[in-house]
Amino acid sequence: MNIIDPETGRQALAALLRERSPLGALKVLYARVGRFFQIPLPTFHPFVVGGPDANRKVLVSERKKVLWRNTDPVTDLLRDGVLVTDGEMHDHYRAVMEPALHASFFGAYTKTMLAQTDRVSSAWTNAQTVDMLVESRKIALLIIMETLFGVDVWNDLPRIWTPILKAIQYISPGMWIFWRRIPRLGYKKDLQTLDDYLHRIITDRRAGSPKKDLLQHLIDARLSDEVIRDQMLTMLIAGHDTSTALLAWTFHLLGTHPQVHERLVLALDESLGGQAPSAPSGWQPRLLDEVIKESMRLYPPIHIGNRRVIADMEFEGGSVPEGERLFYSIYLSHRDPEYWEAPDEFIPERFSSGRSQPPFTYVPFGGGPRICIGAAFGQAEARIVLARLLQTYKFIPLNKKVHAHMGATLEPRPGVMMRVLKRETLT
Ligand code: HEM
């Protein structure tokens, strides 16, 4: 078993304070202890693994030794959502929803992605200062609700904004990690508002005409309203909080790397030629994809996968007994110096075609049979939203210092403040 010596403990603590994020401490432990260690906190001592061999084990070859369902607030909130169920139940929900995320739908989704992006940006006045963390969330929320559930929530944003943020806060790491039964005060009303809102959408759909979207697939599968609510809330949170983080980090990285920013805008102007990015694919410059991939490498929106071990597992460096909590760290895998040159630097070209990474070193969407159900959707969305915003606005970064906040996703805090100037680039 790899041991954390006192000097490593001191360095981990210093990194925690310096980076204002537990990620700093985890990086120290990974570098000094290895790809397998246990976090030695009172009442919370999960095992952490990283790197391709461990990722492959957790995600593919030994996945039957772990459960996704844990005893934590994520399960309390999402109940029987596809993210926190296992076995046949999980496979059934996933099979019901997967067809709605098939590439054949992306033509229609692209139109919504473009329209909702324009909707949010057209509310900006010229030279206004905006927080791209907040603006990205608005865009991602409008997109997920309209594409998957057929509702335009623009007018309801003020009403559902706080309940959604509260739901995200409810499942974010907090004191409950150390004291599982700590009273969770101050959530009940907002979580109920969100539930009522989703139930209203289900009731309206049952009473109205069918549509071709994910909600319809859930209804047609004859699931109960409660189970439909669980899947909707899961898709709503997993499908918009991640995209929010990805977009916000990408704006932060472009703001702090002006040369890449400039090259990307030029490449987009050239490939779009004044036309809107209106098709799912075929128009995007390679650099756009490289920037998105590199953004997810440095700041994977989901930075760890959380598992409950149900049969002893062996890793290089030690074993995890049945009953323990196991994290596979996407963040640490993406910065492993054995597999990435200059791992902490933003170098989109590392994803140029012709270069390839060993399998399971890059896992922003997880892997194996339970790989992110929205991976293609999330990437298509990032391409359209970024291309459209960079085509129509010039973004001037105002705050360059952010820290990686470990919420439900990894977020750039306190935010990504930018001045937006309207560009006259459209034909
Ligand atoms: C940039 C965007 C996204 C990122 C980085 C991301 C990342 C991930 C990761 C890493 C996992 C696996 C976690 C693990 O192994 O523990 C996952 C699972 C999942 N994601 Fe995403 N995701 C994104 C977008 C989306 C979108 C757009 C949706 C919905 C449309 C979505 C819905 C889900 C669901 C339901 C699961 C659980 C799948 C299952 O267990 O079968 N995600 N995501």
Side-chain angles (χ1 to χ4, degrees):
M1 167 74 172
N2 293 334
I3 300 295
I4 299 177
D5 60 73
E7 176 53 25
T8 302
R10 263 193 300 280
Q11 289 195 20
L13 186 63
L16 171 83
L17 299 173
R18 193 176 54 246
E19 297 192 20
R20 298 180 57 199
S21 164
L23 291 173
L26 289 177
K27 244 165 53 178
V28 169
L29 297 179
Y30 197 70
R32 290 181 60 100
V33 184
R35 296 192 180 98
F36 175 94
F37 54 88
Q38 189 175 14
I39 297 179
L41 292 174
T43 73
F44 182 65
H45 25 72
F47 290 83
V48 180
V49 293
D53 295 341
N55 293 342
R56 187 196 302 272
K57 263 189 186 178
V58 177
L59 294 166
V60 182
S61 56
E62 297 193 12
R63 64 177 193 281
K64 299 235 159 81
K65 294 185 174 177
V66 295
L67 292 182
W68 280 61
R69 197 171 186 80
N70 240 313
T71 51
D72 56 26
V74 186
T75 303
D76 293 347
L77 183 74
L78 302 180
R79 298 177 198 158
D80 282 341
V82 66
L83 186 74
V84 289
T85 47
D86 294 286
E88 278 177 25
M89 190 188 225
H90 162 270
D91 297 350
H92 177 54
Y93 298 150
R94 182 151 177 147
V96 167
M97 290 192 281
E98 236 160 12
L101 293 162
H102 188 263
S104 58
F105 283 87
F106 280 28
Y109 291 166
T110 302
K111 289 195 183 73
T112 304
M113 290 168 183
L114 187 66
Q116 295 293 17
T117 305
D118 283 348
R119 190 108 161 271
V120 171
S121 69
S122 61
W124 301 339
T125 55
N126 205 28
Q128 185 185 344
T129 297
V130 294
D131 181 350
M132 287 311 293
L133 180 59
V134 174
E135 300 305 302
S136 300
R137 187 178 301 286
K138 283 185 204 160
I139 295 172
L141 257 177
L142 290 162
I143 290 175
I144 206 81
M145 295 297 289
E146 187 172 352
T147 50
L148 302 192
F149 313 140
V151 285
D152 180 0
V153 299
W154 176 259
N155 291 329
D156 293 338
L157 272 185
R159 187 149 61 96
I160 58 173
W161 189 260
T162 303
I164 288 173
L165 291 184
K166 279 281 190 175
I168 291 169
Q169 199 186 335
Y170 184 81
I171 58 174
S172 297
M175 281 312 287
W176 60 263
I177 284 182
F178 303 102
W179 180 17
R180 176 66 186 95
R181 287 289 149 212
I182 193 169
R184 308 293 311 273
L185 302 174
Y187 291 99
K188 205 168 164 202
K189 190 171 134 274
D190 285 309
L191 296 184
Q192 190 59 52
T193 304
L194 194 52
D195 268 4
D196 293 345
Y197 192 77
L198 294 178
H199 277 293
R200 164 66 37 211
I201 295 174
I202 301 168
T203 309
D204 288 351
R205 176 64 63 85
R206 286 200 193 278
S209 353
K211 290 188 182 174
K212 278 190 169 175
D213 57 14
L214 185 128
L215 173 57
Q216 198 62 45
H217 282 86
L218 293 168
I219 288 177
D220 292 348
R222 300 182 180 281
L223 301 176
S224 69
D225 282 10
E226 278 309 315
V227 170
I228 295 179
R229 168 269 182 212
D230 298 347
Q231 311 314 324
M232 286 175 82
L233 189 55
T234 303
M235 298 304 270
L236 161 59
I237 292 183
H240 103 275
D241 201 31
T242 45
S243 298
T244 301
L246 169 57
L247 291 168
W249 278 116
T250 308
F251 275 101
H252 166 72
L253 287 164
L254 292 176
T256 45
H257 297 82
Q259 288 174 353
V260 178
H261 191 165
E262 203 173 304
R263 277 197 293 125
L264 180 59
V265 171
L266 278 174
L268 281 166
D269 284 354
E270 204 169 292
S271 67
L272 289 168
Q275 303 297 313
S278 55
S281 60
W283 53 267
Q284 63 263 39
R286 275 213 314 266
L287 184 58
L288 178 61
D289 248 3
E290 291 165 12
V291 163
I292 292 170
K293 286 202 172 91
E294 180 68 341
S295 172
M296 288 193 290
R297 183 187 70 81
L298 279 174
Y299 299 106
I302 304 285
H303 64 94
I304 49 160
N306 180 5
R307 301 288 190 274
R308 185 147 55 96
V309 174
I310 52 165
D312 297 358
M313 291 180 84
E314 296 296 326
F315 291 95
E316 201 181 314
S319 55
V320 183
E322 178 198 337
E324 294 290 338
R325 189 184 283 260
L326 172 68
F327 292 144
Y328 79 93
S329 173
I330 298 175
Y331 179 87
L332 295 173
S333 301
H334 286 184
R335 292 180 186 235
D336 191 321
E338 192 174 326
Y339 299 101
W340 303 96
E341 231 180 284
D344 293 336
E345 283 171 34
F346 178 63
I347 310 174
E349 289 74 16
R350 65 171 94 238
F351 286 103
S352 294
S353 50
R355 299 200 203 175
S356 70
Q357 277 295 124
F360 294 96
T361 51
Y362 182 66
V363 285
F365 296 103
R370 289 190 71 161
I371 194 167
C372 174
I373 196 174
F377 184 104
Q379 289 171 96
E381 178 182 14
R383 282 185 214 118
I384 297 284
V385 175
L386 283 168
R388 185 57 169 174
L389 290 177
L390 292 171
Q391 182 188 34
T392 46
Y393 283 86
K394 188 173 161 67
F395 289 85
I396 301 170
L398 298 177
N399 70 324
K400 302 206 167 166
K401 257 199 131 26
V402 298
H403 68 270
H405 170 78
M406 262 191 200
T409 55
L410 214 55
E411 275 186 6
R413 290 279 182 96
V416 184
M417 304 309 291
M418 300 190 113
R419 179 162 302 128
V420 288
L421 298 170
K422 184 104 186 93
R423 298 180 71 207
E424 299 303 334
T425 44
L426 305 185
T427 51

